[in-house]
Amino acid sequence: GKSEEVPTVEAEPSETIHVKGALTDALKGFAAKALGFDPFNPTGALAAEILWNALGDHGKVCIFTPLKESPIHAEGIRGFREALEKYPLDLSAIYENQDDTHMAYYTADAMLRNQPETRGVFVGSANSRRVLQRLCEEEHPEKFCVVASDLYPEMRQYIRRRLVRATIVQSQYTQSYETVKTLAHYLITNEAPVPDMRRVRPQIVMQGNMDQHLIPSDDPRLQAVRAA
């Protein structure tokens, strides 16, 4: 999610606050115990491997991230950099877009102007729409290879065109299931979760399995959710 500053949770010394949730970003000032999910380090490493398989040694790549200093997104970048020891790509630049759609477009434009030899792109946040839009405005968008981190209906066309080779997403079902189960256990037993942080493996969506993850817009299940 988007990095935002939130108030610090303060409690009396005798109180214990337990918060159960799926954490996809660091919350500044948040001082409660939490159950979270952190798939970002393996996501960065997987993205490097996929790009290397497509581009080969010394392919020019760039990363787009909301904030380089955000702990969770910094983990993704670290995972990508560490994987370069095994998959020798040339990381040209890292662009911050603050999770803003307009900045995502303009940073993609800046990449095309400043790093014209770039062929691989890793978008390490749920903000690939505008990056892909800018790449598709080029005369030959098929020369790019993108690894994304989000999933939406328009992604289908990008995957079929092989502009997006893969998108590495969080397991929303597992996150929701484990969060509700842990919360229910705490409410029943008053026992805090152990461990505090559980890591959920990311899911790789490619052309061969995208129909398992993308529900058609006319699917009755999706219409029921929208109606609710």
Side-chain angles (χ1 to χ4, degrees):
K2 195 171 182 178
S3 297
E4 297 179 353
E5 185 171 335
V6 298
T8 300
V9 177
E10 297 182 355
E12 296 299 324
S14 60
E15 294 182 353
T16 301
I17 300 176
H18 297 286
V19 179
K20 313 295 181 283
L23 301 182
T24 57
D25 205 349
L27 299 179
K28 184 177 179 181
F30 199 70
K33 194 170 185 179
L35 167 70
F37 302 81
D38 179 9
F40 285 88
N41 190 304
T43 296
L46 287 169
E49 180 178 358
I50 294 168
L51 290 174
W52 177 79
N53 282 328
L55 302 173
D57 290 352
H58 307 298
K60 305 289 185 182
V61 298
C62 287
I63 294 176
F64 290 85
T65 185
L67 291 168
K68 289 187 288 188
E69 301 305 320
S70 169
I72 288 181
H73 293 101
E75 274 287 289
I77 295 172
R78 184 170 68 86
F80 192 97
R81 288 186 182 277
E82 289 177 354
L84 296 184
E85 297 178 5
K86 187 175 181 180
Y87 309 110
L89 298 163
D90 290 342
L91 180 56
S92 302
I94 300 174
Y95 288 92
E96 293 181 297
N97 55 39
Q98 311 292 323
D99 256 350
D100 179 271
T101 56
H102 296 292
M103 287 188 66
Y105 181 90
Y106 290 118
T107 51
D109 184 72
M111 179 198 74
L112 294 171
R113 288 184 282 104
N114 299 327
Q115 281 80 33
E117 301 302 316
T118 296
R119 293 295 177 266
V121 174
F122 171 42
V123 185
S125 69
N127 202 10
S128 68
R129 269 191 176 94
R130 296 283 276 171
V131 174
L132 291 168
Q133 177 188 342
R134 179 62 189 89
L135 296 181
C136 286
E137 292 172 359
E138 291 294 285
E139 185 176 358
H140 298 290
E142 66 276 2
K143 67 185 178 182
F144 298 106
C145 174
V146 178
V147 175
S149 301
D150 50 358
L151 193 60
Y152 44 89
E154 298 92 330
M155 182 67 75
R156 190 187 304 270
Q157 62 175 312
Y158 295 126
I159 293 176
R160 284 178 174 161
R161 293 171 59 182
R162 292 180 61 78
L163 174 60
V164 174
R165 297 300 176 92
T167 183
I168 307 171
V169 298
Q170 300 170 51
S171 176
Q172 301 295 335
Y173 176 84
T174 302
Q175 286 187 358
S176 302
Y177 178 83
E178 292 295 336
T179 299
V180 173
K181 185 177 76 170
T182 305
L183 177 59
H185 177 77
Y186 170 70
L187 292 175
I188 294 170
T189 67
N190 201 34
E191 296 177 356
V194 178
D196 292 342
M197 180 71 72
R198 177 182 171 185
R199 295 177 182 267
V200 175
R201 294 180 180 178
Q203 296 178 322
I204 303 176
V205 180
M206 306 176 76
Q207 186 161 333
N209 68 341
M210 66 177 175
D211 289 335
Q212 301 172 22
H213 297 270
L214 286 169
I215 301 176
S217 59
D218 58 351
D219 190 292
R221 293 171 297 174
L222 183 59
Q223 294 177 1
V225 171
R226 288 173 174 170

